[in-house]
Amino acid sequence: MIKMKASLLLIAFAAFIFTGCIMPESNHVEPDFYLLSDVPHDNNASTSPPEFSFYLREIELPRYLKDPRMVSRPTPHTIEFRESKRWGEPLEDGIARVISLNFQNQVPSSQFSIFPNRRKDALKWDLSISFSSFEVINDVIVIDSKWSAKDKSGLFVSGTYSASLPLDRKGGTLGEVKGFNHALYDLTKQILEKIPPS
């Protein structure tokens, strides 16, 4: 009798363990990852200086933009994090990489160093860029930024850059990323136009 009770108890325990280990089918969706990229330079419109050397300081972003999830704003006062759409690198690193590549594409003889790398002594300009917006608001790609550049002699140049680009819904998220890429290209172009040639 004791053996029979022990057997039934063992069977019940095994059944409990095995049924408890059965997991329901997951509804997890693997996220898509996106990278910003430089925009090829139009060689016909060359108004760039013959050379441009700079140290790009850490890109400043609002805290909510430092999340790896891409952000959209259904209204100017609310934000939504998109779980399945993410940046493939920290957004500030991607912006710094693309801005530097855009400078190099527009001024092939440029020399630069980017935060967190050390500043090289031979570089003429210290460049700082901060963003207050870098997202989609109501089907519009919105970028707002301020930048400043200071050279070794103390010369200081600054400016603001704002862009509101219509979102190409047919292009999906890739269309959104392309819009950001073009805005970053325009930002680097503006900086080059305002900084006096060496």
Side-chain angles (χ1 to χ4, degrees):
M1 186 73 167
I2 294 176
K3 282 187 176 181
M4 192 168 146
K5 282 185 179 180
S7 298
L8 286 173
L9 196 58
L10 185 62
I11 291 171
F13 180 71
F16 175 75
I17 292 294
F18 287 119
T19 56
C21 290
I22 296 173
M23 299 286 278
E25 189 174 319
S26 173
N27 59 0
H28 173 72
V29 177
E30 191 67 30
D32 296 321
F33 293 91
Y34 297 88
L35 288 173
L36 295 167
S37 59
D38 56 318
V39 173
H41 177 55
D42 179 10
N43 290 324
N44 296 334
S46 182
T47 56
S48 341
E51 63 179 60
F52 179 56
S53 66
F54 64 94
Y55 176 67
L56 182 56
R57 296 181 176 277
E58 184 176 12
I59 299 292
E60 295 178 31
L61 293 173
R63 183 174 296 225
Y64 70 92
L65 287 175
K66 294 187 178 188
D67 193 283
R69 295 170 294 180
M70 295 177 80
V71 173
S72 63
R73 292 172 71 175
T75 72
H77 306 292
T78 57
I79 60 173
E80 288 180 355
F81 291 102
R82 293 182 277 174
E83 291 297 332
S84 62
K85 307 294 180 193
R86 301 187 182 202
W87 294 112
E89 63 187 332
L91 184 56
E92 58 269 33
D93 293 351
I95 291 172
R97 179 178 52 78
V98 168
I99 286 174
S100 298
L101 287 172
N102 283 335
F103 280 132
Q104 191 171 42
N105 291 342
Q106 294 180 57
V107 186
S109 61
S110 63
Q111 297 176 10
F112 62 88
S113 182
I114 309 171
F115 176 88
N117 298 316
R118 265 185 21 196
R119 186 192 194 289
K120 297 174 186 171
D121 287 337
L123 302 176
K124 181 172 182 182
W125 294 93
D126 275 5
L127 184 59
S128 300
I129 306 174
S130 64
F131 290 83
S132 55
S133 290
F134 196 90
E135 63 246 1
V136 174
I137 303 177
N138 291 332
D139 292 336
V140 176
I141 296 169
V142 176
I143 295 181
D144 287 306
S145 66
K146 292 181 180 179
W147 62 269
S148 63
K150 186 177 181 180
D151 76 356
K152 290 182 177 181
S153 69
L155 179 62
F156 183 81
V157 184
S158 65
T160 59
Y161 174 79
S162 293
S164 295
L165 309 169
L167 181 63
D168 175 14
R169 279 288 172 200
K170 291 179 185 174
T173 308
L174 280 176
E176 178 182 338
V177 172
K178 284 181 184 177
F180 287 130
N181 292 338
H182 282 286
L184 290 175
Y185 174 83
D186 289 342
L187 170 60
T188 55
K189 195 172 173 186
Q190 181 198 88
I191 293 171
L192 281 173
E193 286 170 356
K194 290 197 173 184
I195 287 181
S198 301

